Amino acid sequence: SFPTRRSSDLYEYTGDRELLKASEAGWQMMQPYISVDGTPQGNEMIFNTGSRANSEHCGAVNWMAANQILLRMTGEVKYADATERAIFNGYPAAKSPDGKMVAYMHSPNQLVASEWSQPHDNDGDLDWWASRQHFSSAHEPLCCNSNGPRGIPFYVESMVLRSEDGLAVACYGPCDVSATLPQIGRVTLQMDTTYPFEDEVRVKVGTEKPTPFSLKFRIPGWCIAARVEINGGQTQSEPKPGTFVTI
């Protein structure tokens, strides 16, 4: 996830399409190593895969950041889907309920999590790094402690994006958004939802002046069926999972 993020970062600043191709290729290469909770397995190295494999918390944060950059650069739904899968599953699982401590590693398999949830001595053996599934505010090294809080800002900053002729709602959650669009002026969005704990998202739109513009909504790839209503009336086209629907 780290190389994928670095090359996508560089593409965002340079516009070199070879870097974008490298990022997309890196993203595809990572797919066999994504845990069932949506976060990358391993740390700097990937030792094994499956529900008993460890995921480093830094990997979860950087995976979300890489996906949000690729979402902004390509507009492809799969990157927003990958971000949501991580932030609503593996990312919070590695944090204590009050959010003040983090587990350096986490595993979806609770037997493994229990086995390795106690600190072990740093004697250089595999059991030392694998054991750091306990909650702490001072894991060594300190990378996960400082990276951990960044996951939520990475998610929030790309929830609503500018599109070629309006706005695109890429990720869902309760929020207030204010944007200034050329020829249109100030536009506000209010998202009222408890997503992901409910499937309905209610959006209230306000404009500075009555000028038409497009509003795109992401339809997650895992949707079985989706419906978009405007002021209580259903739109003409049936939204297709894995795409953006435009109103």
Side-chain angles (χ1 to χ4, degrees), residues 1 29-30 32-33 40-49 53-54:
S1 62
M29 292 170 63
M30 282 295 299
Y33 309 103
Q41 293 171 326
N43 51 2
E44 282 79 8
M45 297 168 284
I46 300 174
F47 293 100
N48 49 26
T49 61
N54 277 296

Side-chain angles (χ1 to χ4, degrees), residues 213-230:
F213 67 95
S214 73
L215 188 57
K216 301 177 185 293
F217 290 93
R218 165 178 149 261
I219 309 300
W222 54 73
C223 277
I224 299 175
R227 183 178 65 188
V228 177
E229 295 182 354
I230 303 175

